[in-house]
Amino acid sequence: MDSFLIRGGTRLKGKIEISGSKNSALPIMAACLLGEGKTTLKGVPRLSDIDSMSKLIGELGCHVSRHEPPANIAEAGEPSLPALNGPLDIEVTDENMCEARYDIVKTMRASICVLGPLLAKRGKAIVSIPGGCAIGDRPVDLHVRGLQKLGAEFRTENGNIVGEVRGRLKGCRMYLGGAQGPTVLGTINVLCAAALAEGETVLVGAACEPEVVDCAELLIKMGAKIKGYGTPEIRIEGVEKLHGAEHRIIPDRIECGTFMIAAAMTNGELELKNCNLDHLIAVVDRLEEVGVKIERQNGTIFVSSNRRLNTVEMTTQPYPGFPTDLQAQLMGLLCLADGMSVITERIFPDRFLHVGELNRMGGRVRKEGPTAIIQGVKELQGASVMASDLRASAALVLAGLVAKGTTRIDRVYHIDRGYEKIEQKLVAVGASIERVKEK
Ligand code: EPU
């Protein structure tokens, strides 16, 4: 378990290239189980969660291989880190296996994304039930309900969801929302299954996140007939077969938002390359209200701040609202604002493990149910803190960058799950971060 030692107080200045989206790449890799022939994915980041998904679909009979980066890129001076990632080829070579084992599912909840593709293509799926996690209770009832409506039958057996389909799945009109609104991976699971179902499926209350759109675009390239993706009503006309395709994963909007907040916190000036600011409209809106300057030129964003930060009130919401995956990082920023801010977490009401750690660094944050009240302070101080989940850990890295003195963050494997080479990217723009390997 590695740790980070961060010496705070440096102003970030320079260019960072944003990687491909983890949350888009993971379900898209699972969707490749649906195809016949090779699918080539460009822009897949190198992350431990991607390794886990490669292992999982590998056990399910896929051949997964990464191309070496083109020689001309590797030789061209100092290429950016994401440019060094060669495309990933995925080809199904054996369709006999149908089980996602607990060992893999427990490390990565996105494993649930194989459920829909396996049922649609192989007629059977055994997926270990994902347990709770650091950000709260995370049920999969909506995934199961949606697939049941398409005709799959389910039972639970020894901690596994066992699903079977007699014949072919059948399209229907269904409502997919739950108590907390739409489900991102649930929408993708049902969308993938419906792509091979008989007849038309209409998903009402579907998630509109860019990751859903990215997966729908891959499926269309594979031969699926889908309309309305990116809206709450998706229409899918099932086809009998899907083939391999080539696809580039969208930029990681959460990584981009995290670096935007890093620039704001350190009074810095960052040029973020390979971004899609349209995916971050609510984030830009809130950051501008805080006083952050954001400009865009094609796929590049320029972010700067003069560190007089205004307070805001913000609620996390499904897309296009402010994403829960940037709530912790925004809280880190608001710890330094001029007065009191309020954050309400509507997607995962218990996603507040970072509160105690930010307070150890001198923050003044009080939690009341799904709401955090943040009293801005003049400065944060370095401390030993613990990474608890991916985004909470990112918030601690940002706090460490601006804190007085040294911050030690333990258990950074959480960060490695979702931020590609975060310390190299930050060091390149002036941060002082050292990875300490556990002996
Ligand atoms: N929900 C249910 N039943 C279900 C599924 C979800 O009640 O069957 C609830 C959840 O408990 C939550 C809400 O619905 O309250 C929304 O959850 P959603 O299903 O949308 O979350 P997810 O698809 O499992 C993805 C991301 C998360 C991100 C959420 C919300 C991936 C791999 N994960 O999870 O990302 O927070 O959408 O945007 O795409 C992260 O990257 O750190 C992360 C946690």
Side-chain angles (χ1 to χ4, degrees), residues 148-373:
Q148 253 167 350
K149 289 194 176 139
L150 293 180
E153 288 172 10
F154 287 95
R155 58 181 192 275
T156 51
E157 223 172 69
N158 310 323
N160 296 317
I161 303 168
V162 181
E164 271 170 303
V165 184
R166 268 183 240 150
R168 195 170 159 201
L169 291 170
K170 290 202 176 43
C172 67
R173 187 178 167 89
M174 69 171 88
Y175 177 66
L176 203 57
Q180 316 288 344
T183 160
V184 179
L185 295 182
T187 299
I188 295 179
N189 241 331
V190 181
L191 170 66
C192 284
L196 284 183
E198 198 182 321
E200 190 189 50
T201 302
V202 183
L203 304 183
V204 181
C208 303
E209 269 68 3
E211 294 75 18
V212 176
V213 172
D214 204 21
C215 187
E217 285 179 349
L218 166 78
L219 291 172
I220 290 169
K221 288 179 191 163
M222 292 170 81
K225 295 189 176 152
I226 309 172
K227 296 218 167 92
Y229 50 98
T231 78
E233 186 166 313
I234 307 181
R235 284 175 180 270
I236 307 124
E237 184 62 48
V239 296
E240 279 185 18
K241 266 188 182 181
L242 294 173
H243 48 77
E246 202 176 295
H247 184 72
R248 177 170 289 282
I249 304 291
I250 54 170
D252 195 315
R253 63 191 169 108
I254 305 300
E255 188 197 18
C256 184
T258 302
F259 288 132
M260 287 165 83
I261 295 174
M265 281 176 86
T266 62
N267 195 13
E269 244 176 89
L270 288 182
E271 187 179 331
L272 304 174
K273 301 187 94 66
N274 181 35
C275 307
N276 188 338
L277 211 50
D278 294 339
H279 294 166
L280 284 158
I281 188 156
V283 176
V284 170
D285 184 67
R286 279 301 116 113
L287 290 181
E288 285 183 339
E289 201 180 328
V290 174
V292 183
K293 201 167 157 221
I294 300 163
E295 279 168 45
R296 120 156 81 178
Q297 249 177 41
N298 305 321
T300 300
I301 305 177
F302 298 86
V303 194
S304 58
S305 128
N306 61 12
R307 259 295 294 281
R308 245 195 87 82
L309 304 172
N310 307 318
T311 59
V312 288
E313 291 197 13
M314 188 282 290
T315 302
T316 60
Q317 283 169 340
Y319 189 81
F322 192 98
T324 170
D325 290 345
L326 284 170
Q327 178 257 109
Q329 301 88 318
L330 182 77
M331 188 183 292
L333 174 69
L334 295 177
C335 279
L336 297 166
D338 244 355
M340 197 164 77
S341 302
V342 180
I343 292 183
T344 301
E345 175 54 71
R346 287 251 183 272
I347 312 292
F348 296 110
D350 294 327
R351 194 176 201 175
F352 281 123
L353 280 178
H354 42 285
V355 167
E357 303 302 291
L358 286 171
N359 285 345
R360 300 199 67 242
M361 298 180 72
R364 280 181 58 197
V365 186
R366 188 161 51 87
K367 196 173 109 38
E368 278 185 18
T371 297
I373 297 148

Side-chain angles (χ1 to χ4, degrees), residues 22-23 138-142 180 183-185 325 347 391:
K22 165 190 85 99
N23 286 351
R138 292 180 71 185
V140 292
D141 56 314
L142 299 173
Q180 316 288 344
T183 160
V184 179
L185 295 182
D325 290 345
I347 312 292
R391 310 302 173 185

Side-chain angles (χ1 to χ4, degrees), residues 59-102:
E59 286 190 5
L60 292 169
C62 291
H63 182 257
V64 184
S65 63
R66 179 78 87 164
H67 291 229
E68 288 308 315
N72 56 349
I73 291 188
E75 282 159 13
E78 277 191 33
S80 62
L81 297 162
L84 282 174
N85 292 339
L88 202 67
D89 280 344
I90 300 177
E91 184 164 11
V92 183
T93 52
D94 178 352
E95 297 208 318
N96 286 312
M97 274 80 69
C98 293
E99 181 170 358
R101 293 182 299 112
Y102 180 59

